[in-house]
């Protein structure tokens, strides 16, 4: 999984029916110190994350697991909200 | 999923039969502000996207889900057309 | 999928038996204008592509779909030969 | 798999129930000489790795294999602790 | 698949039991001319590759196919030893 910050969402009227009523959030992947790294990700959300929160998200087919038995063509899902990342060493 | 702009298509007479009569669109992945990031993607389309539209696409085996029960050897599919991405914070 | 140019092949006497009599081609991924981008890929071929041709290839488990019911440990397969990529906008 | 150093962990009160009581460690991927390469990874741990140890981790759906029959939406798992990487040639 | 050179191995006393008695080799991905590209990969080996040899390896769940019916949490496997890569054009 990777760390990211929720920075917005995606409004899409026309989309695969599997995404109906599923939140589509915009994520900016981040480093441990909160700086942005890499490109934006559009992710489904199963944990109720909000804009500004730090989350970790999963890539791949596993993205639809939290919605079981619903299946959707998703490759990224927020699976946790980070209280704090703890770095003990680098 | 990732944001992209539809910039063209691919004409291919010889291809795996699974792609027969499936649109093959050329996508340029983009950042939230619309600038190009990364290399072109050839994607199947299940939502009727057109050239110039902003879409989000899925990578991996999930790309063939919208065509179920048809299966094809695709690893990228457009799954939604973006009305607007909304950035509330960075 | 991604665009690539077939630039050669791989000769391998010792290999997983699943690859016996399957062509192993060397691909150079390319941008829309034909310039090289990224590193070489070794791909199986199900459509009879030849050196110098522009193709699109699929990554992941889907690479063995065109050979069904034969299964092999492949993660890249040529699935179409491009007559022409058509760019209508950037 | 890739080499990484365990540098911390992630505290997450709200997360997908599949992660309950599963350690979530922060990994810094490394080169053979121990220098950092690439971005942080949040991984589940099935082998009891500790901060400061060098490990190898797996990406993708395989990440949940060591927890079978428990399934979780993980895409990275520590699967071994490295006594030493041995480079014989470059 | 990708080309790589075998440069060493990994000694790991504590690891997922699925890897018991499976060789874990260190691979340096290479370009067609043999120069190093990208980061090290830890791969399982099913074809008896040795240090210094040029191989091609597969990524993803397919990595455990050559060991069927044994399943392991591997995402990279050597599946062939390259006699020679043949470049006919660039």
């Amino acid at each position: 999984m990777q760390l990211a910050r929720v920075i917005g969402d995606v409004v899409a009227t026309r989309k695969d029916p599997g995404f109906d009523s599923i939140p589509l959030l915009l994520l900016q992947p981040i480093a441990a110190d909160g700086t942005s790294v890499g490109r934006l990700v559009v992710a489904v959300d199963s944990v109720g994350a909000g804009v500004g929160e730090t989350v970790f998200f999963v890539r791949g087919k596993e993205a639809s697991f939290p919605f079981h038995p619903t299946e959707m063509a998703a490759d990224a899902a927020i699976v946790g909200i980070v209280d704090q990342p703890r770095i003990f060493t680098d």
Side-chain angles (χ1 to χ4, degrees), chain A residues 1 7 10-11 15 18 22 24 32 36 39 41 60 66 68 81 87:
Chain A
M1 287 74 72
I7 64 164
V10 167
V11 181
K15 63 195 166 199
I22 305 282
L24 288 166
S36 301
R39 64 176 76 164
V41 172
H68 183 81
I81 298 170
I87 312 291

Side-chain angles (χ1 to χ4, degrees), chain A residues 19-75:
Chain A
F19 291 102
D20 284 349
S21 73
I22 305 282
L24 288 166
L25 298 185
L26 274 176
L27 306 185
Q28 171 61 60
I30 57 172
D33 64 0
T35 54
S36 301
V37 284
R39 64 176 76 164
L40 289 190
V41 172
V42 180
V44 293
D45 176 31
S46 70
V47 294
V51 169
E53 285 188 302
T54 297
V55 299
F56 58 99
F57 68 100
V58 64
R59 289 183 192 269
K61 186 178 190 311
E62 304 83 302
S64 63
F65 281 16
F67 300 91
H68 183 81
T70 299
E71 286 217 12
M72 71 202 65
D75 63 5

